[in-house]
Amino acid sequence: MSEIILHTEQLTKRFSRRILAVDGMDLEVPKGQVFGLLGPNGSGKTTTLGMILGVVSKTKGSYSWFGQGEDYRLRKKIGAILEQPNFYPFLSARQNIMVHSQIKDIRKPDTDGLLKLVGLYERADDPFKTYSLGMKQRLAIASAMLADPEVLIFDEPTNGLDPQGIAEIRKLILDIRDMDKTIILASHLLDEVQKVCSHFAVLRKGKKIYSGSVADALKDTNTVSVASDNTVLLVQTVSSCPGIVSVERVGDLLKMQIADDWSVADINKYLVEHHVPVNYLQQKNTSLEEKFLEILKENENMVSPAQSRVS
Ligand code: ATP
């Protein structure tokens, strides 16, 4: 089993009587994952990151880095960007990196290597103030990488960037993952989590309401829609097909959820072998957005009885 990089247990932050920002958060992040905290604004992502980095005091619960607890010295193995770090506008990327390495007491920083990694090598000697927002963010990532940390933490890494800037940062995060790093990021963008993360947890009003791998979240809802000139035969055949988990009828169309070990081709073959004249067959790769809405809906269902008791 892979090493557990971060473990939190019932981690809780109450800012005031009214504001319970994080409510009993249990998380586990094994080495090598790109772990996304996904949730709308105000769901407690930044507060969670603040607590595990020791910059926000926790109200209750615990966290442990590398199985060694909360010791602040473990922070050396973690590179984080919670907000845009301070860079001197008139100094170049190279000079700013040197300043940051002095502050962090890193004697021999691999400045060239880092600037190449984040794609700023060509512009390394231009003043910071001439950089685009995306370049500034990439310099912040270079600074977070200075001590060659084992873990990188990003809070909304692509906020405010244009599509090209977003694509560059996402590629950079995946390049960093390939350097055998573990990455924890907070995002309110489903698309981002789907494209970048291997695993994710959904946060809602400070609570974790779902966690799992992105692949599983998408696989679970792998559906195929089928129509036939002989709907009666189609319904009969589908009901006896072991590769179909559930069926919903929408007009003449049957929407079916496929078993994990069956493919759409298998379904098609099964129907053909059972002489069903298929005139329409479409696979639907559910986006994480649909899955996310489903998770929220399920969760809504879970809370509704309590709500109805209150009302
Ligand atoms: P966003 O992406 O908007 O920052 P988030 O998911 O990161 O959202 P948090 O910033 O962690 O959420 O906020 C969670 C809740 O805690 C919100 O209701 C927020 O208003 C509240 N909160 C955050 N920081 C403080 C603070 N310093 N004092 C009081 N309340 C706070």
Side-chain angles (χ1 to χ4, degrees):
M1 206 183 119
S2 48
E3 181 194 346
I4 300 299
I5 296 292
L6 171 71
H7 176 82
T8 74
E9 216 166 290
Q10 290 300 297
L11 198 57
T12 299
K13 177 66 187 182
R14 183 180 281 285
F15 280 110
S16 66
R17 200 173 58 81
R18 274 190 317 111
I19 305 172
L20 182 58
V22 178
D23 186 6
M25 187 74 63
D26 292 332
L27 298 172
E28 189 156 277
V29 182
K31 188 175 169 61
Q33 280 191 357
V34 181
F35 188 88
L37 287 176
L38 173 65
N41 289 341
S43 56
K45 304 180 298 292
T46 304
T47 306
T48 302
L49 296 184
M51 283 192 283
I52 59 176
L53 286 168
V55 295
V56 172
S57 64
K58 60 193 171 66
T59 308
K60 230 172 54 182
S62 63
Y63 61 89
S64 176
W65 283 110
F66 315 102
Q68 296 172 53
E70 301 180 6
D71 192 331
Y72 73 94
R73 283 169 294 192
L74 296 167
R75 274 288 274 116
K76 283 205 163 145
K77 300 207 253 177
I78 306 163
I81 312 173
L82 283 202
E83 49 197 45
Q84 193 59 239
N86 285 327
F87 290 114
Y88 291 101
F90 293 99
L91 296 187
S92 67
R94 192 184 299 282
Q95 289 165 326
N96 269 299
I97 285 290
M98 291 309 290
V99 171
H100 278 220
S101 62
Q102 276 160 13
I103 294 168
K104 293 177 181 175
D105 200 21
I106 293 155
R107 305 268 155 79
K108 286 184 184 160
D110 177 15
T111 312
D112 281 356
L114 285 174
L115 291 170
K116 279 180 189 159
L117 171 73
V118 301
L120 287 177
Y121 188 69
E122 307 299 323
R123 297 283 307 269
D125 298 311
D126 294 347
F128 175 78
K129 68 182 174 73
T130 65
Y131 289 0
S132 70
L133 209 56
M135 292 166 74
K136 288 175 179 171
Q137 179 68 338
R138 282 185 277 134
L139 187 60
I141 294 175
S143 171
M145 295 280 291
L146 261 171
D148 193 22
E150 284 186 38
V151 185
L152 270 299
I153 296 185
F154 303 112
D155 191 5
E156 302 281 1
T158 59
N159 244 9
L161 303 183
D162 61 18
Q164 191 193 337
I166 290 173
E168 284 165 356
I169 294 288
R170 288 178 182 170
K171 180 180 178 301
L172 179 54
I173 292 174
L174 294 176
D175 288 345
I176 294 171
R177 172 203 63 189
D178 292 343
M179 293 164 72
D180 214 19
K181 311 286 183 197
T182 303
I183 294 165
I184 300 171
L185 65 87
S187 178
H188 68 284
L189 303 171
L190 295 149
D191 176 53
E192 183 147 288
V193 169
Q194 185 167 353
K195 288 195 172 125
V196 175
C197 296
S198 60
H199 294 75
F200 72 122
V202 179
L203 270 55
R204 185 168 178 270
K205 295 181 184 166
K207 275 188 190 293
K208 183 183 84 175
I209 59 170
Y210 181 90
S211 69
S213 84
V214 170
D216 281 351
L218 296 176
K219 197 170 66 184
D220 276 350
T221 49
N222 208 4
T223 55
V224 59
S225 297
V226 183
S228 168
D229 292 335
N230 189 340
T231 309
V232 175
L233 180 62
L234 175 64
V235 172
Q236 258 174 16
T237 310
V238 158
S239 62
S240 65
C241 175
I244 290 167
V245 177
S246 65
V247 185
E248 184 194 347
R249 187 164 173 176
V250 184
D252 286 341
L253 213 62
L254 295 194
K255 282 185 166 181
M256 309 179 299
Q257 194 180 328
I258 309 174
D260 283 354
D261 50 347
W262 278 60
S263 67
V264 178
D266 293 334
I267 301 288
N268 192 28
K269 189 161 167 260
Y270 188 90
L271 295 174
V272 170
E273 280 170 1
H274 288 76
H275 313 291
V276 179
V278 173
N279 60 26
Y280 178 87
L281 188 143
Q282 192 190 42
Q283 181 177 19
K284 188 157 167 265
N285 285 321
T286 311
S287 72
L288 201 56
E289 183 168 0
E290 285 162 87
K291 178 70 185 172
F292 180 72
L293 292 174
E294 216 174 88
I295 293 164
L296 290 182
K297 206 167 121 197
E298 279 167 18
N299 195 257
E300 212 56 72
N301 290 342
M302 268 160 37
V303 286
S304 58
Q307 283 172 337
S308 63
R309 271 204 305 278
V310 172
S311 56

